[in-house]
Amino acid sequence: VGLVTFANPAAQEMRERLSARVDVSRVKVSTFDAFARQQFYPFLNGRRPPKFFERQILIRRAIEDSGSAFDEETAASVIEELNCRLYPEESAKECVELFEVYRELMEEDGLIDFGEVARQVVLKMMSGEIEPIGVTHLLVDEFQDTAPVQLAWLAEHWKKGVRVTVVGDDDQSIYGFRHAM
């Protein structure tokens, strides 16, 4: 059984509450990002997530190298939005150009961000290069905050026979800024 949530403190609380009632040795409790990182670990090849200042520098470089007219704040927002999509290339041309340059710069610097990890995991699950996490059931907490790539990750597990149950409340959605659906 796998329990999925969005933040490490929530995952820790789930573990604590569950362990007070049952044997949790056969239960995996984690965040979407942590599960995706575990699945993608063999493909990292030494790449790591950028630190905040590195990301800011990369955004500035991407604006300059792509010839984008976006300011830094808008560019960061565009990159964040496209990072949440399974197929970012289906966006507006100027957004895609900025995003592609950003991804190339990340690759050159040996960096990879969480959005790219999640997207690559889903694409590799679709192609059969990555197996779903080793569970028979997934329970997703705070489903209202699920982004498109996370939904695709869940769908791939479901397609491979994992039973997926979601719990959410539209009135409590707090990740709209992160393109939660």
Side-chain angles (χ1 to χ4, degrees):
V1 174
L3 302 178
V4 184
T5 190
F6 289 87
N8 286 325
Q12 182 59 35
E13 183 179 343
M14 289 171 87
R15 267 187 224 95
E16 289 169 4
R17 286 184 178 193
L18 195 59
S19 66
R21 293 177 173 79
V22 297
D23 173 18
V24 293
S25 63
R26 294 178 33 193
V27 179
K28 296 179 181 184
V29 182
S30 193
T31 64
F32 277 106
D33 287 339
F35 274 137
R37 278 193 312 273
Q38 289 169 6
Q39 289 175 283
F40 196 69
Y41 186 77
F43 299 90
L44 279 175
N45 298 325
R47 291 180 292 173
R48 63 170 177 78
K51 294 179 172 64
F52 178 78
F53 75 90
E54 290 173 313
R55 188 170 189 274
Q56 295 306 108
I57 292 168
L58 287 168
I59 290 170
R60 280 187 219 119
R61 286 174 57 198
I63 291 169
E64 192 174 302
D65 291 2
S66 69
S68 174
F70 295 128
D71 60 51
E72 284 184 41
E73 186 176 330
T74 303
S77 182
V78 165
I79 289 167
E80 185 67 31
E81 179 181 341
L82 296 188
N83 247 340
C84 293
R85 295 186 183 185
L86 191 55
Y87 301 107
E89 61 276 1
E90 295 174 354
S91 301
K93 183 181 177 195
E94 61 274 9
C95 296
V96 172
E97 288 172 358
L98 172 73
F99 186 65
E100 288 301 322
V101 170
Y102 172 78
R103 285 172 47 183
E104 289 168 10
L105 292 170
M106 293 276 281
E107 183 75 25
E108 286 173 16
D109 289 355
L111 303 170
I112 188 166
D113 58 29
F114 294 128
E116 183 66 18
V117 168
R119 183 175 38 263
Q120 288 300 318
V121 165
V122 173
L123 294 172
K124 288 181 183 314
M125 284 174 63
M126 292 168 121
S127 72
E129 293 176 74
I130 290 180
E131 292 294 318
I133 60 172
V135 297
T136 57
H137 295 74
L138 275 174
L139 173 63
V140 182
D141 187 34
E142 305 295 341
F143 182 69
Q144 74 276 0
D145 293 325
T146 305
V149 169
Q150 294 166 331
L151 181 60
W153 183 84
L154 291 170
E156 285 306 305
H157 280 82
W158 174 77
K159 289 175 188 174
K160 305 282 198 269
V162 175
R163 294 183 182 255
V164 179
T165 302
V166 299
V167 178
D169 181 351
D170 287 344
D171 292 333
Q172 293 187 20
S173 182
I174 61 171
Y175 286 108
F177 69 91
R178 204 183 55 165
H179 312 288
M181 302 177 299

